[in-house]
């Protein structure tokens, strides 16, 4: 991801570069409007957005869809127990991998626990996207705030904030997660419900803590170059209060890098959740894509569908968001005139 | 220039110290009893107190941290408690500088464990680096030379799809399908150069290194492509073309040259991250590197090992950042140092 960040830094549009037509016949467009117009003409972007709209709809409507299809993420207390759905090796007695398609369970049921795979997949996508969105949005707020503060204040505050950014960047993400997990696990080892909630929230907080730095650096760099420009100096000279300068003059110029950063941060968070949960450090008890992959990791040979459907969901989400991020960057880039 | 190098190095040392302090505080200031885990499951109160004194867990956190830092520069003797050392002089383990600590769980110094694991991780990272640099540059140039063609879209698209897969899925595919099920490669198992020669060492590293290389490939293909395309529009390329140089020579000798500096910079930083241990790949292929060491330490609650590994992995990143920044300033005169 660092690559796209590096490119982003090099290619972020300069605020003065977009020509503003003043003629009466031609209506002036803001840079954001121009970018949106370009996005609409970009076939890749349109396809990605369509895919994402479907995925998001499935995620949001997961409870509705599962109740219409009458499938359940967990078997209801009154229904048949797991032993009646599985053979002595834990494999399901209906649907894949050993029996034909079962219309009641389109993606089959899971071994041992005998839960419906489609229902779990829908909830997995829902929870993973929730994690991705919350993490990206929170990191966006933190990163922008710290980046603005560091870039706009000269001197000691900038130095301290830069040191903090460097410190967080130096922490090896996965190792630190591995090092911390015994501590968190220890605190909640006594109760399962507590652990499920705590691990879910803990994971989100951990991901937020380790994803704001790249943005803070980016914003700081942008602000440092922007604050010497004439329009900021002019605002300061005529006595515009600092808060107004920050939010009315500086922030609008940062919209493009922020949008691009956000579109890449969501799939990164989704992928990191999968990686952490695979290592046994992420969620437990709440179905996310990571947990689905983790539970299925031993079944690559005997029950491939069980493993590759959640992996496929991760690939579709990551690919669509990454491609969309590329298109958004191109659309906001004044150098690519099409 | 030298002042800059010295300042960056000093800053790096401060960062490393701050990192260890944060890790120490998180570990030993939380309510978990480190001595209980160090001592093992069937451990009486009395033994636990002995372990606590032997590892210095009875002291305040800051004192423990100071002892750890002292050990880094001067070495330490375990057990730390003087009375215990005098009581059983034959059981004293000397840990030479830079002493990373003592793992009670393995009854070894951590230096010993790391020196066994590090060569594996270094081998893996080096082979992966070679694979992804060669692959990235070749495919990137190929895509740039046929810009807009089917080949160009194919290469960029394929690497992006691979990039969207979780590293776990690629590792599982390469190990379980390519190596085990289809038998294209022999089952990979780490062998030292001293034991089996370079060919066997390389052959065994190929699949896990390929897993890592595939993850980085997309970034390097796109970066090479972008930089080559950019430099192909430069005047000196037109000159080279005008004087009748072969196309191959123009691309490889002139256009690629400009792309090398940023490529090497990125490669250096990514390589440092890998040196910290590729946890998921090492786990799937069961390679006894730093990553697997961390997983085992995590499972056994072996806190001193976790502290040491966080320090090592973080130091690699900090060091690589310094080296890359200094080299960059040295190679590229446009970079203003100060």
């Amino acid at each position: 991801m660092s690559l796209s960040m590096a490119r982003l830094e090099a290619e972020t549009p300069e605020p003065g570069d977009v020509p503003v037509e003043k003629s009466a016949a031609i209506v002036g467009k803001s840079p954001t409007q121009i970018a949106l117009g370009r996005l609409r003409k970009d076939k890749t972007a349109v396809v990605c957005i369509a895919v994402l709209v479907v995925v998001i709809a499935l995620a949001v409507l997961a409870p509705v869809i599962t109740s219409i299809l009458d499938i359940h993420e967990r078997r209801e207390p009154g229904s048949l127990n797991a032993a009646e759905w599985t053979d002595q090796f834990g494999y399901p007695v209906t649907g894949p991998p050993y029996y034909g398609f079962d219309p009641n369970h389109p993606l089959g049921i899971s071994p041992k626990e005998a839960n419906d795979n489609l229902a779990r997949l829908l909830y997995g996508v829902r929870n993973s996207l929730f994690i991705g969105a919350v993490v990206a949005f929170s990191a966006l707020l933190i990163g922008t705030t710290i980046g603005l503060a560091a870039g706009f204040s000269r001197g000691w505050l900038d130095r301290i904030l830069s040191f903090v950014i460097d410190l967080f960047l130096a922490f090896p993400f996965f190792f630190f997660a591995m090092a911390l997990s015994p501590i968190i696990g220890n605190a909640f080892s006594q109760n399962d419900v507590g652990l499920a909630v705590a691990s879910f929230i803990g994971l989100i907080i951990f991901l937020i803590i380790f994803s704001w730095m790249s943005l803070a650096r980016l914003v700081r760099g942008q602000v440092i170059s922007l604050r010497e420009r004439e329009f900021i100096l002019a605002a300061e000279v005529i006595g515009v209060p600092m808060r107004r300068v920050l939010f009315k003059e500086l922030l609008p110029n940062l919209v493009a890098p922020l949008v691009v950063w956000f579109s890449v941060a969501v799939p990164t968070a989704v992928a990191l959740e999968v990686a952490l949960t695979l290592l046994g450090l992420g969620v437990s008890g709440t179905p996310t894509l990571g947990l689905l992959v983790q539970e299925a990791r031993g079944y690559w040979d005997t029950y491939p569908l069980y493993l590759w459907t959640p992996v496929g969901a991760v690939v579709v989400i990551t690919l669509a968001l990454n491609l969309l991020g590329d298109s958004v960057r191109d659309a906001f880039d004044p150098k690519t005139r099409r | 220039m030298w002042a800059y190098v010295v300042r960056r190095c000093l800053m790096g040392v401060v960062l490393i110290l701050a990192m260890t302090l944060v890790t120490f505080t998180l570990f030993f200031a939380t309510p978990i009893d480190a001595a209980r885990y160090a001592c093992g499951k069937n451990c009486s109160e009395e033994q636990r107190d002995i372990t606590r004194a032997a590892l210095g867990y009875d002291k305040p956190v800051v004192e423990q941290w100071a002892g750890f830092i002292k050990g880094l520069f001067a070495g330490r003797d375990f057990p730390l408690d003087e009375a215990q050392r005098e009581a059983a002089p034959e059981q004293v383990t000397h840990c030479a500088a830079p002493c990373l600590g003592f793992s009670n769980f393995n009854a070894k110094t951590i230096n010993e464990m790391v020196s066994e694991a590090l060569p594996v991780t270094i081998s893996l990272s080096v082979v992966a680096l070679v694979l992804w640099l060669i692959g990235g540059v070749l495919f990137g140039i190929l895509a740039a030379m046929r810009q807009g063609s089917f080949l160009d879209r194919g290469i960029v698209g394929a690497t992006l799809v691979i990039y969207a897969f979780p590293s776990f899925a690629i590792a599982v595919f390469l190990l379980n399908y390519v190596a085990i099920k289809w038998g294209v490669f022999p089952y990979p198992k780490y062998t030292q150069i001293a034991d089996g020669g370079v060919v066997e060492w390389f052959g065994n590293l190929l699949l896990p290194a390929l897993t890592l290389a595939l993850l980085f490939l997309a970034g390097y293909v796109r970066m090479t492509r972008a930089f080559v395309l950019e430099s192909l529009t430069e005047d000196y390329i037109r000159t080279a073309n005008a004087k009748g140089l072969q196309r191959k020579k123009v691309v490889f000798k002139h256009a690629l040259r400009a792309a090398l500096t940023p490529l090497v910079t990125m490669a250096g930083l990514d390589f440092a991250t890998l040196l910290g241990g590729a946890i998921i790949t090492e786990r799937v292929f069961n390679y006894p590197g730093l990553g697997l060491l961390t997983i085992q330490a995590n499972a056994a609650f072996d806190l001193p090992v976790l502290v040491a590994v966080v320090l090592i992995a973080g130091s690699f990143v900090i060091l690589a950042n310094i080296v890359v920044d200094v080299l960059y300033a040295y190679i590229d005169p446009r970079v203003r140092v100060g």
Side-chain angles (χ1 to χ4, degrees), chain B residues 83-258:
Chain B
Q84 287 185 30
R85 279 208 300 269
E86 275 167 20
E90 73 282 355
Q91 282 182 1
V92 171
T93 317
H94 179 65
C95 173
C99 178
L100 294 166
F102 185 80
S103 162
N104 216 46
F105 196 78
N106 292 293
K108 271 186 199 168
T109 59
I110 295 171
N111 296 36
E112 240 177 291
M113 297 163 72
V114 167
S115 64
E116 282 164 21
L118 206 52
V120 183
T121 301
I122 292 179
S123 308
L124 200 58
S125 311
V126 168
V127 176
L129 176 76
V130 170
L131 287 180
W132 94 60
L133 269 187
I134 292 179
V137 168
L138 282 184
F139 284 125
I141 289 180
L142 216 58
M145 285 175 76
R146 303 259 185 285
Q147 190 199 0
S149 72
F150 183 71
L151 186 72
D152 178 23
R153 280 156 192 265
I155 289 175
V156 173
T159 51
L160 262 180
V161 171
I162 294 173
Y163 178 75
F165 273 90
S167 60
F168 163 79
I170 298 178
V172 162
F173 176 76
L174 287 180
L175 177 69
N176 293 338
Y177 290 81
V178 177
I180 297 178
K181 208 169 179 181
W182 301 332
V184 183
F185 280 91
Y187 187 84
K189 187 178 183 319
Y190 181 71
T191 42
Q192 288 178 312
I193 297 186
D195 292 345
V198 175
V199 176
E200 201 185 325
W201 169 80
F202 184 77
N204 275 322
L205 281 172
L206 202 57
L207 283 185
L210 191 62
T211 309
L212 296 171
L214 282 175
L215 291 173
F216 286 102
L217 198 61
Y220 285 78
V221 165
R222 280 170 3 135
M223 193 152 60
T224 311
R225 180 180 175 277
F227 279 115
V228 168
L229 278 181
E230 201 182 310
S231 60
L232 276 178
T233 61
E234 301 270 351
D235 286 341
Y236 64 87
I237 297 292
R238 196 182 310 148
T239 312
N241 277 328
K243 75 176 183 186
L245 220 55
Q246 279 180 319
R247 177 115 174 110
K248 224 186 290 173
K249 251 190 174 162
V250 174
V251 171
F252 276 90
K253 278 199 97 169
H254 296 273
L256 183 61
R257 193 62 185 267

Side-chain angles (χ1 to χ4, degrees), chain A residues 72-82 84-85 115:
Chain A
H72 303 280
E73 178 221 327
R74 279 167 208 283
R75 272 166 300 100
E76 283 168 341
S79 69
L80 295 168
N81 59 19
E84 290 171 64
W85 284 101
N115 295 317

Side-chain angles (χ1 to χ4, degrees), chain A residues 155-167:
Chain A
W156 60 271
L157 185 59
D158 181 23
R159 279 203 201 139
I160 291 176
L161 289 175
S162 298
F163 182 80
V164 172
I165 295 174
D166 282 347
L167 182 64

Side-chain angles (χ1 to χ4, degrees), chain A residues 1-4 6-7 163 166-167 169-172 174-183 186 274-275 278-281 293 297 300-301 304 307-308 311 314-315 318-319 322-323 326 329, chain B residues 11 14-15 18-19 22-23 26-27 30 32 36-37 160-161 163-166 168-169 172 176-177 181 219 222-223 266 270 276-277 279-280 283 290 294-295 298 301 306 309-310 313-314 318:
Chain A
M1 217 76 317
S2 44
L3 153 71
S4 37
R7 266 191 60 194
F163 182 80
D166 282 347
L167 182 64
L169 278 174
F171 267 107
F174 284 108
F175 287 89
F176 200 60
M178 300 215 90
L180 274 185
S181 75
I183 298 171
N186 186 74
V274 173
L278 267 172
L279 289 171
L281 311 175
V293 177
R297 69 183 196 280
W300 60 272
D301 193 21
L307 171 63
W308 295 106
V311 171
V314 176
V315 172
T318 319
L319 190 61
N322 275 332
L323 282 173
D326 275 3
R329 174 171 39 230
Chain B
M11 195 67 182
V14 173
L15 266 180
M19 205 167 68
V22 171
T23 318
L26 280 174
F27 273 175
T30 44
I32 62 167
R36 184 161 69 91
Y37 292 112
L160 262 180
V161 171
Y163 178 75
F165 273 90
F168 163 79
V172 162
N176 293 338
Y177 290 81
K181 208 169 179 181
R222 280 170 3 135
M223 193 152 60
M266 276 308 297
D270 285 339
I279 299 187
I280 291 181
R283 180 185 176 165
L290 275 183
T294 319
I295 291 175
N298 174 273
F301 280 60
L306 293 174
V309 178
V310 167
I318 292 173

Side-chain angles (χ1 to χ4, degrees), chain B residues 247-319:
Chain B
R247 177 115 174 110
K248 224 186 290 173
K249 251 190 174 162
V250 174
V251 171
F252 276 90
K253 278 199 97 169
H254 296 273
L256 183 61
R257 193 62 185 267
L260 275 184
T261 323
L263 273 179
V264 168
T265 312
M266 276 308 297
L269 294 178
D270 285 339
F271 183 66
T273 320
L274 268 191
L275 275 185
I279 299 187
I280 291 181
T281 309
E282 280 179 14
R283 180 185 176 165
V284 173
F285 285 91
N286 208 14
Y287 267 48
L290 275 183
L292 206 62
L293 182 72
T294 319
I295 291 175
Q296 285 157 358
N298 174 273
F301 280 60
D302 201 345
L303 297 183
V305 175
L306 293 174
V307 174
V309 178
V310 167
L311 172 70
I312 296 172
S315 306
F316 278 135
V317 173
I318 292 173
L319 194 70

Side-chain angles (χ1 to χ4, degrees), chain B residues 56-78:
Chain B
Y57 291 154
D58 49 348
K59 307 230 165 55
V61 179
V62 177
E63 208 172 307
Q64 289 184 42
W65 178 68
F68 178 78
I69 299 299
K70 199 190 121 217
L72 276 182
F73 293 103
R76 294 163 108 181
D77 287 312
F78 288 94

